[in-house]
Amino acid sequence: MSFNALVFPGQGAQKTGMAKDFIEASDAAAEVFERASACLPFDIYQLCHAENSLLNQTNYTQPAILVAEIAMYEAVKADFKLQAHCFAGHSLGEYTALVAADVLPFEVALDLVCKRGELMHHATTGGSMTAVIMDNIPLDDLVKTVNQFNVDMANDNSNQQVVISGMQADVDKAVTQLSQQYADEAFRAVPLTVSSAFHSRWMIPAEEAFFDYAQQFKSAINSQNLPQVASNYLGTFYAADQDQLISALAKQISGSVQWRKNMALIQDKAILELGPNRPLKGFFKSIGVDIQAVVSYKSAVRAFAK
């Protein structure tokens, strides 16, 4: 089967052993880990492939997911002749999309996500995130309710799931109000395992610091390919504009991930999800779109044999 659109999951998709079978099966994947090892101050092989607590710590998680996903992408591109021309990624996954689209060099993206992870790791503590799950979420009403508690919508994932973000006590109050407000619905609230209130107003200091840091890489951005990539923050494809990219990536840290809008941009394409897990497949299913997901080298063989 051929695919013309690629999507990449973000933080939360990590798991021990991710991309290991790709490294064993493909020289292209192994080379990505070698290149990453030359840039990183820690053992990326050990981080990804041995049981350890650091894999779920955001300053380590973010570079690990980028390296694993690009290793998977390079293997699939080399071994199965993948030729996609449309790319999207969920939150952190947007950086993988930018590398795959040849907008950012891999080493530049790795530097950026290391800084992003560091800034987010050291951001305000005491924050939390909760997934709100129900059918046909009334988005505007929900946002109006949670904003009353200084809580923001972090991810608009689908018409069945959004994620809210803020200080723990405020999120708890917002969830209590929502559970009462939608008592007649099949309402569920699932706390996420995160260290802070990502994609919320509490990340503004990290956003500002990241924006300043990213300026040094402006000349490395291949703006010609930017219109092939969907922006989480803008909800549209990027323009061929280096400044727009830096601004949107910075604002994504404290702003909402508009994944529902990103899905609408590519729903008519043959879509492949590539990553350690397959969270995006369910979001596409909510809009009646069936996509193929590859999480292992064996599943890649099967996907391209169809």
Side-chain angles (χ1 to χ4, degrees):
M1 183 172 178
S2 61
F3 302 95
N4 54 20
L6 279 179
V7 294
F8 301 94
Q11 192 161 326
Q14 70 273 11
K15 65 180 180 182
T16 300
M18 57 185 182
K20 189 172 188 293
D21 58 341
F22 282 88
I23 295 172
E24 294 168 348
S26 172
D27 290 342
E31 183 184 352
V32 171
F33 270 79
E34 290 169 7
R35 289 168 63 187
S37 294
C39 301
L40 296 170
F42 55 84
D43 188 334
I44 187 64
Y45 291 94
Q46 181 77 8
L47 179 64
C48 290
H49 303 141
E51 291 289 344
N52 63 87
S53 59
L54 293 179
L55 186 58
N56 293 318
Q57 187 173 302
T58 193
N59 52 325
Y60 289 96
T61 310
Q62 296 198 29
I65 289 178
L66 176 72
V67 172
E69 290 184 348
I70 290 300
M72 296 171 74
Y73 168 69
E74 292 294 347
V76 168
K77 187 172 67 168
D79 297 356
F80 303 101
K81 312 305 178 189
L82 174 67
Q83 292 185 320
H85 56 75
C86 187
F87 305 85
H90 189 276
S91 189
L92 173 68
E94 188 172 316
Y95 289 83
T96 312
L98 289 164
V99 175
D102 196 29
V103 170
L104 291 178
F106 171 60
E107 283 78 7
V108 168
L110 188 56
D111 193 318
L112 287 171
V113 300
C114 284
K115 187 65 174 180
R116 182 181 187 268
E118 174 191 329
L119 290 168
M120 292 171 71
H121 177 64
H122 293 293
T124 306
T125 57
S128 71
M129 302 176 74
T130 291
V132 173
I133 302 167
M134 58 189 288
D135 289 334
N136 299 314
I137 292 173
L139 188 63
D140 291 342
D141 288 345
L142 185 146
V143 170
K144 187 182 298 183
T145 296
V146 302
N147 282 171
Q148 294 173 10
F149 298 94
N150 295 319
V151 172
D152 297 329
M153 185 189 69
N155 303 341
D156 178 17
N157 289 331
S158 74
N159 64 355
Q160 298 173 347
Q161 186 198 100
V162 300
V163 176
I164 60 175
S165 181
M167 292 298 99
Q168 180 72 66
D170 294 334
V171 171
D172 290 344
K173 291 174 185 175
V175 168
T176 297
Q177 176 62 35
L178 290 172
S179 64
Q180 295 170 358
Q181 192 168 319
Y182 302 114
D184 294 334
E185 308 290 339
F187 173 89
R188 286 194 296 139
V190 181
L192 304 185
T193 305
V194 295
S195 59
S196 195
F198 303 144
H199 298 298
S200 78
R201 69 193 75 182
W202 303 102
M203 291 290 114
I204 289 176
E207 170 201 324
E208 292 171 345
F210 182 85
F211 178 81
D212 292 340
Y213 183 80
Q215 295 298 327
Q216 66 184 295
F217 300 107
K218 182 176 176 179
S219 63
I221 298 169
N222 176 13
S223 58
Q224 181 179 346
N225 287 2
L226 262 173
Q228 299 178 10
V229 184
S231 165
N232 289 173
Y233 177 75
L234 299 171
T236 62
F237 286 111
Y238 281 105
D241 184 333
Q242 296 167 324
D243 290 320
Q244 184 193 59
L245 175 64
I246 292 174
S247 176
L249 289 179
K251 289 178 179 178
Q252 187 222 64
I253 293 173
S254 66
S256 298
V257 173
Q258 300 190 68
W259 186 248
R260 207 184 322 192
K261 289 183 178 179
N262 284 176
M263 289 194 296
L265 295 173
I266 61 174
Q267 62 182 359
D268 60 340
K269 301 186 182 300
I271 304 167
L272 175 69
E273 178 178 6
L274 192 57
N277 273 306
R278 53 175 73 88
L280 306 182
K281 185 177 177 66
F283 298 152
F284 276 97
K285 186 177 180 180
S286 73
I287 60 171
V289 175
D290 185 34
I291 72 171
Q292 188 72 43
V294 164
V295 297
S296 66
Y297 196 84
K298 285 184 178 179
S299 63
V301 172
R302 291 194 298 268
F304 285 89
K306 291 183 177 181

